[in-house]
């Protein structure tokens, strides 16, 4: 019987760490525009915003695609990974949101080549790897279990969103930790939902988020790039 190893967990923690040099901290994914519009103004409204985007966008679109990307990279099926990558890029509804995932994906692909991660040439062959595509590649290369990878991806996204709220709402650090506790309680159910979501139920569109993201592109003052 094989001895369990903590290495995949350590690799996953590295991949989900805010110290990962992909520039996630510079993006708010529309949250800053929601603050400017008065939709997000305190901890309760920030939790509602982050929770809604997680439930209505990530769990129904980004995470199901991420799971499919992990499967494709495990099988070394570059054609399928490329097709899913194009599908995700096509779902980004504003220039900012598309630029965000392309910049972060490029940064992670470049890091994969510099570390290096085995097989990084397959990822580099993609013209514009989106961030979920690059993340899934690292997950497969490092033999990280799929469910744990989705949990870490969602947690990392939530943490980044709450830290953006700290800067632009603003929120205090204690309120931020309370928000993360509340949001963290939802992760198990959201990941389960995403793994059970079939093609017919996958929904990439959040029209209000797309509108706010578009408005952010011409917002008078900005802390974040999206």
């Amino acid at each position: 019987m094989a001895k369990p190893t903590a290495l995949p967990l350590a690799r996953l923690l590295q991949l989900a760490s805010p110290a990962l040099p992909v520039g996630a901290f510079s993006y708010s994914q529309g949250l800053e525009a929601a603050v400017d519009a008065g939709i997000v103004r305190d901890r309760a409204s920030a939790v509602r915003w982050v929770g809604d985007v997680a439930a209505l966008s990530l769990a129904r679109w980004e995470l199901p695609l991420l799971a499919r990307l992990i499967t494709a990279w495990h099988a070394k099926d570059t054609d399928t990974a490329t097709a899913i990558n194009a599908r995700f890029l096509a779902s980004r509804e504003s220039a900012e949101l598309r630029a965000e995932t392309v910049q972060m994906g490029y940064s992670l692909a470049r890091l994969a080549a510099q570390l290096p991660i085995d097989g990084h040439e397959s990822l580099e062959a993609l013209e514009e790897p989106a961030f979920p595509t690059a993340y899934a590649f690292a997950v497969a290369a490092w033999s990280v279990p799929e469910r744990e990878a989705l949990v870490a991806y969602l947690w990392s996204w939530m943490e980044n969103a709450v830290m953006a709220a700290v800067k632009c709402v603003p929120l205090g650090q204690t309120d931020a930790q309370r928000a993360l506790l509340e949001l963290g309680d939802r992760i198990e159910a959201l990941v389960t939902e995403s793994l059970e979501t079939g093609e017919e139920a996958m929904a990439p569109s959040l029209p209000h988020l797309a509108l706010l993201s578009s408005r952010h592109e011409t917002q008078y003052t900005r802390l974040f790039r999206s």
Side-chain angles (χ1 to χ4, degrees):
M1 189 173 180
K3 184 178 179 180
T5 172
L7 186 58
L9 175 58
R11 293 287 186 259
L12 181 57
L13 292 173
Q14 181 177 359
L15 191 58
S17 170
L20 193 73
V22 295
F25 67 90
S26 63
Y27 298 101
S28 81
Q29 294 196 349
L31 176 63
E32 186 173 28
V35 172
D36 187 63
I39 298 167
V40 176
R41 56 194 177 277
D42 53 20
R43 177 170 61 88
S45 54
V47 168
R48 183 166 59 251
W49 172 271
V50 175
D52 284 352
V53 176
L56 300 174
S57 180
L58 270 79
R60 296 182 184 179
W61 179 249
E62 199 161 331
L63 292 179
L65 283 186
L66 178 60
R68 287 159 173 78
L69 282 163
I70 292 170
T71 299
W73 285 125
H74 267 303
K76 302 188 186 305
D77 186 351
T78 305
D79 289 343
T80 296
T82 300
I84 298 172
N85 183 74
R87 189 178 177 190
F88 182 73
L89 289 178
S91 74
R92 302 298 83 189
E93 294 170 301
S94 71
E96 282 189 351
L97 292 177
R98 191 184 190 283
E100 173 183 343
T101 196
V102 168
Q103 181 272 304
M104 290 175 60
Y106 169 80
S107 296
L108 185 50
R110 186 177 179 185
L111 182 64
Q114 292 173 334
L115 287 177
I117 298 177
D118 289 345
H120 61 84
E121 298 86 358
S122 297
L123 181 60
E124 289 179 292
L126 271 65
E127 184 176 352
E128 289 186 306
F131 182 66
T133 305
Y135 180 95
F137 171 82
V139 164
W142 284 340
S143 301
V144 175
E146 178 187 69
R147 186 181 188 87
E148 283 81 349
L150 267 61
V151 167
Y153 186 94
L154 182 54
W155 168 259
S156 181
W157 178 87
M158 285 179 168
E159 183 180 38
N160 189 70
V162 171
M163 290 304 102
V166 167
K167 297 171 185 174
C168 67
V169 171
L171 295 182
Q173 292 294 337
T174 300
D175 269 343
Q177 293 305 312
R178 287 173 178 163
L180 285 170
L181 276 175
E182 185 174 343
L183 291 163
D185 287 342
R186 308 177 191 184
I187 288 178
E188 183 72 25
L190 291 174
V191 169
T192 297
E193 177 187 344
S194 71
L195 289 171
E196 295 173 352
T197 298
E199 288 289 331
E200 71 288 347
M202 291 172 64
S205 180
L206 284 182
H208 197 188
L209 174 58
L211 286 170
L212 285 168
S213 177
S214 296
R215 291 175 185 171
H216 186 262
E217 293 172 3
T218 56
Q219 191 171 305
Y220 180 65
T221 56
R222 297 183 297 176
L223 294 174
F224 297 95
R225 297 169 68 183
S226 72

